[in-house]
Amino acid sequence: MTDAEVTACLARGRAGDEKAIIELYHYMYPHVAKLVHANLPPKESAEDLVQQVCIKVMRNLNQFSGKVPFLHWVSRIAVNTCLNQIRYERHRPEVRLADLSEEAAGVVEHLTVASEELDSSEKFAARELVEKLLAALRPADRLLMRLMYLEGYSIDEISNVTGWSQTLVKVRAFRARSQLRQRYILLMKENL
């Protein structure tokens, strides 16, 4: 959908056109689903949260000013909804080698003895390892690491989406990287 089509669809949706609302829903759904699935612990059911975000967007269409792209505005609602949902998460599990699958444990073992790049069969296990390491972070830090390194958002974009200052984004990113590094070192030592 082009920007002009989104603008026209928004105008029709605000006027109560159900077809326009359905078009907007189909346009934003993959983006919302990607953000929600990426920012919730694996144990959580994300589908309900995706629907909740979409409902919030549709209820608040009149608040969209058009100063930022529509999906940027939707991203902010999705990220804030995820932050609110995971705010109550109390348990921050430690990542242990025993908790990893055989493939992920193999990646850790491979990384302790080899310096070459992973082959394609080990990349999936590496992704699992990254997910386990990220799951051990606080929810806000996990969100930040996902946005920055997995989604490719810039510091400025993260600041706009989360409402945090750029300085706060940089400080949180530094601390989260340090925590990830410490957890990874513990895994490596456990493997020796």
Side-chain angles (χ1 to χ4, degrees):
M1 211 182 255
T2 66
D3 289 343
E5 291 172 331
V6 170
T7 303
C9 206
L10 281 167
R12 292 190 343 256
R14 286 177 179 146
D17 182 352
E18 285 185 30
K19 184 179 178 190
I21 290 174
I22 291 170
E23 287 176 30
L24 285 172
Y25 173 81
H26 288 295
Y27 174 66
M28 71 176 173
Y29 183 87
H31 185 73
V32 170
K34 184 178 176 183
L35 282 171
V36 169
H37 285 285
N39 293 305
L40 279 182
K43 298 173 189 170
E44 296 289 330
S45 171
E47 191 58 36
D48 289 339
L49 195 57
V50 170
Q51 295 298 325
Q52 185 181 350
V53 170
C54 291
I55 289 169
K56 281 183 182 180
V57 168
M58 294 307 168
R59 282 186 182 157
N60 296 304
L61 279 180
N62 291 330
Q63 294 179 7
F64 177 65
S65 66
K67 293 179 183 176
V68 296
F70 179 68
L71 285 182
H72 182 90
W73 181 70
V74 170
S75 294
R76 187 167 187 150
I77 292 171
V79 167
N80 285 335
T81 303
C82 287
L83 284 173
N84 290 337
Q85 181 70 25
I86 59 182
R87 185 165 290 153
Y88 301 105
E89 185 180 292
R90 295 181 191 139
H91 183 59
R92 314 262 186 311
E94 286 295 319
V95 178
R96 297 176 309 215
L97 196 58
D99 295 336
L100 301 176
S101 68
E102 286 184 38
E103 294 84 12
V107 168
V108 172
E109 184 177 329
H110 174 80
L111 292 173
T112 58
V113 295
S115 61
E116 69 269 4
E117 196 169 314
L118 298 174
D119 63 29
S120 59
S121 65
E122 293 175 314
K123 287 185 180 178
F124 181 77
R127 176 69 181 197
E128 180 188 353
L129 175 61
V130 168
E131 292 297 331
K132 291 271 188 185
L133 289 170
L134 285 175
L137 291 176
R138 292 182 314 194
D141 293 339
R142 182 173 51 244
L143 170 67
L144 175 60
M145 291 290 99
R146 286 184 185 282
L147 289 174
M148 186 175 283
Y149 294 106
L150 300 178
E151 300 291 325
Y153 281 54
S154 69
I155 290 173
D156 189 39
E157 290 170 327
I158 294 170
S159 178
N160 288 333
V161 168
T162 60
W164 300 333
S165 70
Q166 289 185 3
T167 303
L168 180 61
V169 170
K170 290 176 186 177
V171 169
R172 276 185 180 258
F174 174 79
R175 290 179 181 161
R177 283 190 303 268
S178 296
Q179 289 174 8
L180 287 173
R181 192 176 304 111
Q182 289 171 355
R183 285 184 172 88
Y184 178 72
I185 288 170
L186 288 173
L187 275 177
M188 298 295 264
K189 284 182 181 175
E190 188 178 323
N191 191 50
L192 294 177

